Amino acid sequence: MEFSQYIEYELEISRADAPPVRVLQDASGATGCGVGSTVWDTGLVLAKYFDHQTSLGNLDLSGKTVLELGSGTGIVGIALGRLHPKCQVLLTDKEELVPLLGRNIELNSATDNTRAQCLDWTKSTSLDTVPNLIIVSDGIWDKDLHQPLADTLARLAGSETRVLLAYESRKFDEEAEFIARWSQTFRFRDIKPSEQDPVMQSEDIFIFDGMRKIKVAE
């Protein structure tokens, strides 16, 4: 893939020994790779939430595996891998975005703990391991993605998998339908503004923290 039409975006993180996260993006849509090739506000809010919680000592992912669904440019997953170098991060998206993910991993010298592969929500893809954490940023902007995403989360999350799902509210009724669908198999709570980065947050962006519901034997 040719990256000459991409521009670079930088995100500062709080680790004193770590440089900013740098990703290439196609904000103009010139490359035809769709909305996934752009850095969106929801990803920045989610990345800075992880940064904030890590700086407070509330998040330790040492030895853990992280799966990002719909990674886009990879800015959230790469930032998380930068914050927690002893975790393993798998970035996933449609086939046409995997080269961009790979390039952004290389740009951040993150190949030791971060890799990318194709994962199509409409197919019954399985993984070698059950992730400890699944992250999704702006994955419900299209109603047609709701059922495939819900099915993918139900298939890939284990009983102890934590799921962080963030989105910017654009169509309230449709988003409420997804939350109702997701609640059939997951329990979750909303992350309060007081838990997020004091600066990088928005009243239109929501973060939910969920886990699979425990089935009670009859």
Side-chain angles (χ1 to χ4, degrees):
M1 176 181 285
E2 174 59 50
F3 296 104
S4 61
Q5 298 184 72
Y6 287 76
I7 60 174
E8 189 172 300
Y9 184 94
E10 285 192 358
L11 175 68
E12 296 281 349
I13 59 174
S14 61
R15 274 192 58 190
D17 61 339
V21 173
R22 302 160 56 208
V23 297
L24 297 178
Q25 67 160 339
D26 173 26
S28 68
T31 64
C33 285
V35 297
S37 58
T38 300
V39 173
W40 294 94
D41 289 346
T42 303
L44 302 178
V45 169
L46 184 57
K48 291 300 289 183
Y49 164 73
F50 288 128
D51 189 7
H52 184 59
Q53 289 298 308
T54 300
S55 67
L56 293 174
N58 295 335
L59 183 64
D60 182 7
L61 295 175
S62 297
K64 306 296 186 181
T65 58
V66 179
L67 167 66
E68 183 175 19
L69 299 175
S71 299
T73 64
I75 194 166
V76 182
I78 292 171
L80 194 55
R82 176 73 59 79
L83 291 164
H84 299 271
K86 294 184 179 180
C87 77
Q88 292 294 318
V89 181
L90 176 61
L91 310 179
T92 67
D93 212 308
K94 299 178 295 182
E95 187 67 47
E96 56 265 35
L97 285 168
V98 174
L100 176 61
L101 289 171
R103 180 68 185 93
N104 284 336
I105 291 170
E106 294 173 354
L107 191 62
N108 289 275
S109 302
T111 54
D112 285 348
N113 75 331
T114 307
R115 60 189 180 91
Q117 74 174 51
C118 176
L119 196 157
D120 186 338
W121 300 351
T122 64
K123 299 178 181 178
S124 299
T125 306
S126 60
L127 299 175
D128 295 334
T129 60
V130 176
N132 300 105
L133 173 66
I134 297 176
I135 56 179
V136 188
S137 173
D138 256 343
I140 63 171
W141 62 277
D142 184 346
K143 186 177 181 179
D144 290 341
L145 299 174
H146 290 186
Q147 191 61 55
L149 176 57
D151 292 343
T152 299
L153 289 171
R155 185 173 64 254
L156 299 181
S159 60
E160 301 297 323
T161 301
R162 184 182 179 191
V163 178
L164 267 292
L165 183 144
Y167 67 91
E168 182 174 356
S169 184
R170 299 177 178 90
K171 299 177 181 178
F172 178 83
D173 291 344
E174 292 183 5
E175 293 150 4
E177 289 179 11
F178 173 80
I179 295 300
R181 181 180 286 114
W182 192 36
S183 68
Q184 295 173 9
T185 50
F186 285 79
R187 52 185 173 85
F188 46 84
R189 70 178 186 89
D190 62 306
I191 301 294
K192 304 300 182 185
S194 60
E195 300 173 77
Q196 300 178 39
D197 181 86
V199 176
M200 190 70 76
Q201 58 175 267
S202 168
E203 62 182 11
D204 296 321
I205 294 176
F206 301 90
I207 306 175
F208 288 93
D209 185 349
M211 292 187 74
R212 181 184 290 278
K213 287 182 176 179
I214 299 174
K215 293 183 178 180
V216 179
E218 297 181 357

